[in-house]
Amino acid sequence: MIVQTITTSPFADQRPGTSGLRKKTTVFQQPRYLENFVQALLDEAALPADGALVVGGDGRYFNREAIDRIVRIAAANGVSHVIVGRGGLLSTPAASHLIRSGAAGGIILSASHNPGGPDGDFGIKYNTANGGPAPESFTNAVAARAARITSFRIADVPAFSLDVIGTQQVGPLRLDVVDPVAAYAMLMESLFDFTAIRALIASGFRLRFDAMHAITGPYAVEILERRLGAPEGTVINATPLPDFGGGHPDPNLTYAHDLVEECFADDAPDFGAASDGDGDRNMILGRRFFVTPSDSLAVLAANATRVPGYAAGLTGVARSMPTSAAVDAVAESLGIPCFETPTGWKYFGNLLDAGRITLCGEESFGTGSNHVREKDGVWAVLFWLNIVAARGESVEAIVRAHWSRFGRNYYTRYDYEAVPSDAAARVMEHLRAQLTTLPGQHMGEHVVRAADDFSYTDAIDGSLSTKQGIRVLFADGARIVYRLSGTGTEGATIRVYIESRETHPDRLGMDTADALRELVTTALALSQLVEFTGRAAPTVIT
Ligand code: VG1
Ligand code: CO
C-alpha cells in the first residue's frame, strides 16, 4: 500500500453545527475539502490500533464517493478495521447500534432532512464509541484542527466493493460490508411486542409509512411488511434515491404532503408515519389526526410500561429546551426527573450513558431511548404501534385521553429559512437587549416571569453550553423561544417556538392556530422579526 501525504491548506468554514458539518454538496466536492475534515476527525478520534470504524450514510448524492475516500484515508491513518453498510447505506440509528456493538467510533454521512443531489446538501458527523454524536468538546477540537491543517494522508489501495456482503482485505485494512438492516431489525424485535403488533395488523388495522425515498425504505419494508405482516406497498417511496426523488425528506406537515393528504382523506388509514433523510426523525399521524412531536414524547413516556423493552419503567426523561413541556407533566406524575438540554441529540448522550434517563426527544420530530444514542424514526413508529396494540384504541383517542389526564401544551414552530445572516443576528441582538426589562411585563393575558439566554451545565461532566436560545417564560406556563438553526446551509434560519399550557377540560380541543394566535402576535412584536428580515410570513409552520 502506498500512502501519500498531500499538502493542503485549511478551509475557513469547517465548524460543525447542531449535528455535524453540513454544507452544500458543491462545497464538499471541492478538492481537499472532505479529506481535510476527515483527517482532522481521525486525528482527534485517535482510534485504538484494533478499534473498528463504522462508516455509512443515507445514500444521498456523493455518499459512495465520500465513503471510497474515507476508506482510503482511514487505511493511510492506520485504521485497521472499517465496517460499512452494503451500498454505503446505514440509517443514523442503525449506525449508532452498529457502533455500540463493539466499534470504536463511526462516521455518518448525511445532511438529514435537507434535500440532496448536486444542488442539495451533504454532511458528515462523527459518533463516539457509545454510538452517539461526539460532544461539543470533540467537535470544537476537530474544528480547531481543521483550521490549521497542513496535510492529509490517503492510501492507494486495490479496488474494493461496497456491494458484496463479507470481508475484504484493503491493504492492511479489513473491510466488512454488512447488511444494513439485519442487526437493527433484531434490536427492534427485542424491544417491542411483535406478536401483538402482527395481530393488530392482521385484524385489519391499516397503516402507511412514507420513507420519502430516503434511508428508512429498506428498514420499514423488512420490519413492517416482512416481519409484521403489513401488506406489500404499505411502505411508499421505499427506494432510497440520491436526490430523494427531488423531494425534501423532512417528515412534517409541509414536506410529507402526500402522506398527510392520504391520512386526512375520507378513507384514511388508521395510522400514518414518515421518516427523514437519515432515518432518525419520525412523524406520527392517526386517522385525520396529527400528533405533535412534543406530545408524542409525552405519550410514549406515559405508556412506556406497556412496551416489553420498557416494562421496568423509566429512570428519567429529557427534552431539548425548545420542546414543549408536555413530557414534564408525565415525569412529574411518574415521580421521575425530567432534564432540559440544549437542541441537538449530543446533549442526551451523557444522561443516557449514566442511566439517568430512558426516553428523550425534541420538538423537531425526534424521539429516542437508551437502545441507541441517536433519535430513531422506525423505533418511534413501532413504539406507537405497540401502544395502539396494547391499548386497543385509536391514535386520536390515546392522545385525547392523554390531554385529559395531563393537560395539553399547544405548540407551534415558525421557521424563517435562508434569512440574511446579519438580519438574523439583529433579531437576536434586539431580543437579548430586552432580557433584563421583560420580567414583570404584561403581554395580552400573559405576564413575563423570566427571560434569559439558555445555558446548560451537563449533569454528568459539568461542561457548560451557553447562548442556546432566547427564552421568554410566562407565569402561566406559556413560553416563546427564539434560536438560530445550526443545520442550515444558506444564510441563517430563525426558529420561533411558541407554546401555551392548558388544563381546563373545556379548552383541550381547540385548534392550535386559534389557541396560540395572541402569543404568535406577541412573539413577532417582541422580536421585530418582520421589520428586521422583511419576511411577512415564515417558510414553514409546524
Ligand atoms: C435541527 C433541529 C434539532 C435537531 C437537528 C438535527 O437543528 O431543530 O432539534 O437535533 O436539526 O436533526 P437546528 O439547529 O437546525 O434547529 V437531524 O434529523 O437534521 O440530524
Ligand atoms: Co435526521
Side-chain angles (χ1 to χ4, degrees):
M1 179 183 74
I2 300 164
V3 173
Q4 299 191 46
T5 302
I6 312 271
T7 304
T8 188
S9 55
F11 291 86
D13 62 350
Q14 294 200 327
R15 171 158 289 281
T18 310
S19 181
L21 185 69
R22 289 192 193 168
K23 300 286 172 196
K24 291 278 164 215
T25 311
T26 48
V27 171
F28 269 102
Q29 285 174 313
Q30 298 172 85
R32 305 181 290 99
Y33 193 90
L34 177 81
E35 290 82 349
N36 275 14
F37 193 71
V38 172
Q39 181 67 54
L41 268 185
L42 291 178
D43 283 341
E44 193 55 37
L47 297 176
D50 58 346
L53 181 72
V54 171
V55 183
D58 60 11
R60 69 180 60 219
Y61 182 81
F62 196 56
N63 190 52
R64 267 179 187 263
E65 206 174 321
I67 293 178
D68 181 77
R69 283 190 226 168
I70 290 169
V71 170
R72 294 189 294 124
I73 297 168
N77 281 279
V79 175
S80 59
H81 186 185
V82 168
I83 302 169
V84 298
R86 184 182 44 217
L89 299 181
L90 279 177
S91 78
T92 291
S96 180
H97 179 54
L98 270 186
I99 298 168
R100 290 166 62 71
S101 310
I107 293 178
I108 300 177
L109 304 162
S110 172
S112 190
H113 54 290
N114 296 8
D119 302 320
D121 292 348
F122 194 77
I124 177 166
K125 172 170 93 152
Y126 187 74
N127 283 29
T128 49
N130 74 343
E136 230 185 342
S137 53
F138 181 95
T139 54
N140 285 341
V142 171
R145 278 182 191 272
R148 52 167 205 267
I149 192 163
T150 56
S151 66
F152 63 83
R153 287 184 294 284
I154 188 158
D156 289 333
V157 292
F160 54 90
S161 165
L162 298 179
D163 297 306
V164 186
I165 289 187
T167 299
Q168 301 161 57
Q169 203 59 42
V170 181
L173 179 147
R174 168 180 164 191
L175 178 69
D176 288 341
V177 177
V178 301
D179 180 328
V181 177
Y184 177 84
M186 247 165 72
L187 176 66
M188 294 302 112
E189 285 216 45
S190 76
L191 294 172
F192 299 109
D193 187 346
F194 271 40
T195 309
I197 301 173
R198 210 178 290 119
L200 173 76
I201 293 170
S203 76
F205 184 87
R206 288 167 54 221
L207 63 144
R208 177 68 79 216
F209 182 99
D210 189 348
M212 304 189 86
H213 286 304
I215 192 69
T216 48
Y219 295 85
V221 167
E222 172 63 27
I223 295 171
L224 298 176
E225 297 185 6
R226 298 214 184 97
R227 301 197 185 197
L228 291 169
E232 217 173 287
T234 294
V235 182
I236 55 170
N237 302 320
T239 308
L241 297 175
D243 66 346
F244 307 118
H248 198 137
D250 197 353
N252 60 36
L253 295 175
T254 304
Y255 293 124
H257 38 79
D258 291 353
L259 176 75
V260 172
E261 224 166 82
E262 187 179 348
C263 288
F264 282 83
D266 288 340
D267 60 343
D270 301 291
F271 186 91
S275 189
D276 71 331
D278 61 329
D280 56 359
R281 296 188 178 204
N282 74 88
M283 176 169 68
I284 303 292
L285 298 163
R287 178 195 293 252
R288 290 190 285 281
F289 191 81
F290 166 65
V291 185
T292 73
S294 299
D295 279 347
S296 179
L297 174 63
V299 169
L300 300 194
N303 291 278
T305 53
R306 293 175 180 267
V307 173
Y310 307 90
L314 310 175
T315 59
V317 291
R319 60 164 173 84
S320 66
M321 181 273 283
T323 302
S324 100
V327 74
D328 302 36
V330 177
E332 200 188 331
S333 122
L334 292 173
I336 56 173
C338 177
F339 295 86
E340 185 176 36
T341 58
T343 293
W345 212 259
K346 56 181 178 254
Y347 295 103
F348 295 132
N350 278 347
L351 294 167
L352 289 164
D353 284 350
R356 299 280 285 274
I357 59 170
T358 313
L359 292 188
C360 46
E362 296 189 282
E363 48 62 43
S364 53
F365 297 83
T367 340
S369 87
N370 58 357
H371 71 291
V372 289
R373 292 295 179 274
E374 291 277 4
K375 53 189 186 271
D376 190 342
V378 170
W379 168 91
V381 170
L382 293 170
F383 207 128
W384 264 97
L385 290 173
N386 199 148
I387 292 174
V388 168
R391 290 182 60 127
E393 290 168 82
S394 72
V395 170
E396 176 170 356
I398 290 170
V399 175
R400 291 197 187 280
H402 185 93
W403 292 337
S404 301
R405 178 159 170 220
F406 296 101
R408 176 173 181 189
N409 288 60
Y410 287 98
Y411 191 83
T412 192
R413 183 177 106 178
Y414 280 34
D415 292 334
Y416 298 81
E417 292 173 3
V419 171
S421 300
D422 51 341
R426 279 201 290 278
V427 171
M428 296 305 281
E429 276 322 308
H430 178 68
L431 286 163
R432 253 183 218 114
Q434 300 174 68
L435 290 178
T436 50
T437 53
L438 279 173
Q441 284 190 36
H442 289 253
M443 302 191 173
E445 49 185 58
H446 308 280
V447 186
V448 180
R449 173 173 68 77
D452 67 3
D453 199 342
F454 182 64
S455 63
Y456 174 70
T457 304
D458 187 289
I460 310 301
D461 67 16
S463 59
L464 176 71
S465 304
T466 58
K467 294 201 166 183
Q468 296 296 323
I470 304 281
R471 301 192 294 180
V472 181
L473 310 171
F474 298 94
D476 57 4
R479 295 192 311 168
I480 302 171
V481 173
Y482 306 84
R483 59 178 285 280
L484 298 184
S485 156
T487 59
T489 59
E490 231 184 301
T493 293
I494 307 174
R495 304 202 196 285
V496 186
Y497 312 77
I498 298 147
E499 169 180 7
S500 74
R501 174 137 180 91
E502 186 59 68
T503 49
H504 194 285
D506 294 344
R507 291 194 294 267
L508 295 176
M510 285 155 63
D511 180 68
T512 298
D514 293 336
L516 295 175
R517 196 170 311 278
E518 188 209 307
L519 272 172
V520 169
T521 308
T522 302
L524 295 179
L526 264 182
S527 60
Q528 298 277 293
L529 195 150
V530 178
E531 292 76 1
F532 281 121
T533 65
R535 292 292 182 81
T539 322
V540 179
I541 298 180
T542 44

mmCIF file of all heavy atoms in Angstrom, residues 300-321:
data_model
loop_
_atom_site.group_PDB
_atom_site.id
_atom_site.type_symbol
_atom_site.label_atom_id
_atom_site.label_comp_id
_atom_site.label_asym_id
_atom_site.label_seq_id
_atom_site.Cartn_x
_atom_site.Cartn_y
_atom_site.Cartn_z
ATOM 1 N N LEU A 300 -45.454 8.517 24.714
ATOM 2 C CA LEU A 300 -44.577 7.346 24.845
ATOM 3 C C LEU A 300 -44.148 7.182 26.302
ATOM 4 O O LEU A 300 -44.138 6.071 26.838
ATOM 5 C CB LEU A 300 -43.333 7.479 23.952
ATOM 6 C CG LEU A 300 -43.516 7.611 22.436
ATOM 7 C CD1 LEU A 300 -42.187 7.391 21.716
ATOM 8 C CD2 LEU A 300 -44.552 6.665 21.882
ATOM 9 N N ALA A 301 -43.810 8.290 26.939
ATOM 10 C CA ALA A 301 -43.365 8.204 28.339
ATOM 11 C C ALA A 301 -44.489 7.681 29.234
ATOM 12 O O ALA A 301 -44.270 6.812 30.088
ATOM 13 C CB ALA A 301 -42.882 9.571 28.818
ATOM 14 N N ALA A 302 -45.702 8.185 29.002
ATOM 15 C CA ALA A 302 -46.831 7.804 29.866
ATOM 16 C C ALA A 302 -47.233 6.344 29.668
ATOM 17 O O ALA A 302 -47.818 5.724 30.556
ATOM 18 C CB ALA A 302 -48.024 8.723 29.594
ATOM 19 N N ASN A 303 -46.931 5.790 28.496
ATOM 20 C CA ASN A 303 -47.372 4.424 28.173
ATOM 21 C C ASN A 303 -46.225 3.419 28.095
ATOM 22 O O ASN A 303 -46.421 2.277 27.673
ATOM 23 C CB ASN A 303 -48.120 4.422 26.830
ATOM 24 C CG ASN A 303 -49.457 5.137 26.926
ATOM 25 O OD1 ASN A 303 -50.442 4.563 27.359
ATOM 26 N ND2 ASN A 303 -49.475 6.407 26.557
ATOM 27 N N ALA A 304 -45.033 3.849 28.489
ATOM 28 C CA ALA A 304 -43.838 3.034 28.247
ATOM 29 C C ALA A 304 -43.929 1.642 28.859
ATOM 30 O O ALA A 304 -43.473 0.662 28.264
ATOM 31 C CB ALA A 304 -42.599 3.756 28.766
ATOM 32 N N THR A 305 -44.542 1.534 30.032
ATOM 33 C CA THR A 305 -44.519 0.222 30.679
ATOM 34 C C THR A 305 -45.391 -0.807 29.954
ATOM 35 O O THR A 305 -45.343 -1.989 30.260
ATOM 36 C CB THR A 305 -44.975 0.315 32.149
ATOM 37 O OG1 THR A 305 -46.237 0.977 32.174
ATOM 38 C CG2 THR A 305 -43.963 1.092 32.985
ATOM 39 N N ARG A 306 -46.156 -0.368 28.964
ATOM 40 C CA ARG A 306 -46.942 -1.321 28.155
ATOM 41 C C ARG A 306 -46.086 -1.984 27.075
ATOM 42 O O ARG A 306 -46.551 -2.863 26.353
ATOM 43 C CB ARG A 306 -48.095 -0.598 27.467
ATOM 44 C CG ARG A 306 -49.145 -0.080 28.433
ATOM 45 C CD ARG A 306 -50.162 0.713 27.653
ATOM 46 N NE ARG A 306 -51.201 1.248 28.508
ATOM 47 C CZ ARG A 306 -52.367 0.637 28.751
ATOM 48 N NH1 ARG A 306 -52.629 -0.541 28.210
ATOM 49 N NH2 ARG A 306 -53.262 1.202 29.521
ATOM 50 N N VAL A 307 -44.847 -1.499 26.938
ATOM 51 C CA VAL A 307 -43.956 -1.999 25.888
ATOM 52 C C VAL A 307 -42.870 -2.868 26.537
ATOM 53 O O VAL A 307 -42.239 -2.430 27.499
ATOM 54 C CB VAL A 307 -43.316 -0.789 25.154
ATOM 55 C CG1 VAL A 307 -42.255 -1.243 24.172
ATOM 56 C CG2 VAL A 307 -44.404 0.025 24.463
ATOM 57 N N PRO A 308 -42.658 -4.091 26.034
ATOM 58 C CA PRO A 308 -41.745 -5.012 26.721
ATOM 59 C C PRO A 308 -40.377 -4.405 27.055
ATOM 60 O O PRO A 308 -39.890 -4.568 28.172
ATOM 61 C CB PRO A 308 -41.594 -6.166 25.715
ATOM 62 C CG PRO A 308 -42.824 -6.119 24.873
ATOM 63 C CD PRO A 308 -43.308 -4.694 24.859
ATOM 64 N N GLY A 309 -39.773 -3.689 26.109
ATOM 65 C CA GLY A 309 -38.429 -3.152 26.332
ATOM 66 C C GLY A 309 -38.365 -2.111 27.438
ATOM 67 O O GLY A 309 -37.274 -1.747 27.896
ATOM 68 N N TYR A 310 -39.520 -1.606 27.859
ATOM 69 C CA TYR A 310 -39.548 -0.536 28.869
ATOM 70 C C TYR A 310 -40.465 -0.897 30.040
ATOM 71 O O TYR A 310 -40.868 -0.033 30.807
ATOM 72 C CB TYR A 310 -39.966 0.790 28.203
ATOM 73 C CG TYR A 310 -39.081 1.079 27.002
ATOM 74 C CD1 TYR A 310 -39.429 0.619 25.730
ATOM 75 C CD2 TYR A 310 -37.860 1.722 27.170
ATOM 76 C CE1 TYR A 310 -38.577 0.814 24.643
ATOM 77 C CE2 TYR A 310 -37.005 1.919 26.091
ATOM 78 C CZ TYR A 310 -37.374 1.461 24.835
ATOM 79 O OH TYR A 310 -36.526 1.642 23.771
ATOM 80 N N ALA A 311 -40.777 -2.185 30.138
ATOM 81 C CA ALA A 311 -41.741 -2.642 31.140
ATOM 82 C C ALA A 311 -41.291 -2.336 32.559
ATOM 83 O O ALA A 311 -42.114 -2.167 33.463
ATOM 84 C CB ALA A 311 -41.981 -4.146 30.969
ATOM 85 N N ALA A 312 -39.989 -2.229 32.759
ATOM 86 C CA ALA A 312 -39.472 -1.961 34.108
ATOM 87 C C ALA A 312 -39.636 -0.501 34.496
ATOM 88 O O ALA A 312 -39.310 -0.110 35.633
ATOM 89 C CB ALA A 312 -38.007 -2.372 34.191
ATOM 90 N N GLY A 313 -40.101 0.331 33.576
ATOM 91 C CA GLY A 313 -40.287 1.752 33.883
ATOM 92 C C GLY A 313 -39.109 2.588 33.439
ATOM 93 O O GLY A 313 -38.096 2.072 32.970
ATOM 94 N N LEU A 314 -39.259 3.892 33.575
ATOM 95 C CA LEU A 314 -38.257 4.839 33.085
ATOM 96 C C LEU A 314 -37.468 5.403 34.270
ATOM 97 O O LEU A 314 -38.057 5.723 35.298
ATOM 98 C CB LEU A 314 -38.951 5.991 32.347
ATOM 99 C CG LEU A 314 -39.988 5.594 31.284
ATOM 100 C CD1 LEU A 314 -40.683 6.847 30.734
ATOM 101 C CD2 LEU A 314 -39.332 4.805 30.156
ATOM 102 N N THR A 315 -36.154 5.552 34.091
ATOM 103 C CA THR A 315 -35.370 6.166 35.180
ATOM 104 C C THR A 315 -35.542 7.685 35.160
ATOM 105 O O THR A 315 -35.454 8.348 36.181
ATOM 106 C CB THR A 315 -33.871 5.844 35.044
ATOM 107 O OG1 THR A 315 -33.405 6.328 33.775
ATOM 108 C CG2 THR A 315 -33.618 4.360 35.135
ATOM 109 N N GLY A 316 -35.768 8.234 33.992
ATOM 110 C CA GLY A 316 -35.942 9.667 33.833
ATOM 111 C C GLY A 316 -36.195 9.955 32.370
ATOM 112 O O GLY A 316 -36.144 9.049 31.531
ATOM 113 N N VAL A 317 -36.525 11.197 32.066
ATOM 114 C CA VAL A 317 -36.733 11.604 30.670
ATOM 115 C C VAL A 317 -35.982 12.915 30.441
ATOM 116 O O VAL A 317 -35.598 13.589 31.395
ATOM 117 C CB VAL A 317 -38.231 11.807 30.336
ATOM 118 C CG1 VAL A 317 -38.977 10.487 30.349
ATOM 119 C CG2 VAL A 317 -38.885 12.802 31.281
ATOM 120 N N ALA A 318 -35.806 13.257 29.180
ATOM 121 C CA ALA A 318 -35.190 14.546 28.851
ATOM 122 C C ALA A 318 -35.801 15.064 27.574
ATOM 123 O O ALA A 318 -36.276 14.293 26.740
ATOM 124 C CB ALA A 318 -33.678 14.394 28.688
ATOM 125 N N ARG A 319 -35.816 16.376 27.468
ATOM 126 C CA ARG A 319 -36.267 17.004 26.233
ATOM 127 C C ARG A 319 -35.353 18.185 25.955
ATOM 128 O O ARG A 319 -34.766 18.749 26.885
ATOM 129 C CB ARG A 319 -37.713 17.476 26.348
ATOM 130 C CG ARG A 319 -37.924 18.498 27.455
ATOM 131 C CD ARG A 319 -39.245 19.234 27.328
ATOM 132 N NE ARG A 319 -39.486 20.068 28.490
ATOM 133 C CZ ARG A 319 -38.990 21.303 28.634
ATOM 134 N NH1 ARG A 319 -38.209 21.823 27.707
ATOM 135 N NH2 ARG A 319 -39.244 22.007 29.723
ATOM 136 N N SER A 320 -35.227 18.560 24.683
ATOM 137 C CA SER A 320 -34.452 19.756 24.381
ATOM 138 C C SER A 320 -35.261 20.966 24.831
ATOM 139 O O SER A 320 -36.499 20.908 24.924
ATOM 140 C CB SER A 320 -34.120 19.830 22.896
ATOM 141 O OG SER A 320 -35.293 20.011 22.145
ATOM 142 N N MET A 321 -34.558 22.045 25.115
ATOM 143 C CA MET A 321 -35.205 23.226 25.691
ATOM 144 C C MET A 321 -36.413 23.697 24.891
ATOM 145 O O MET A 321 -37.479 23.945 25.462
ATOM 146 C CB MET A 321 -34.152 24.326 25.862
ATOM 147 C CG MET A 321 -34.669 25.607 26.468
ATOM 148 S SD MET A 321 -35.331 26.721 25.224
ATOM 149 C CE MET A 321 -33.830 27.387 24.522
#
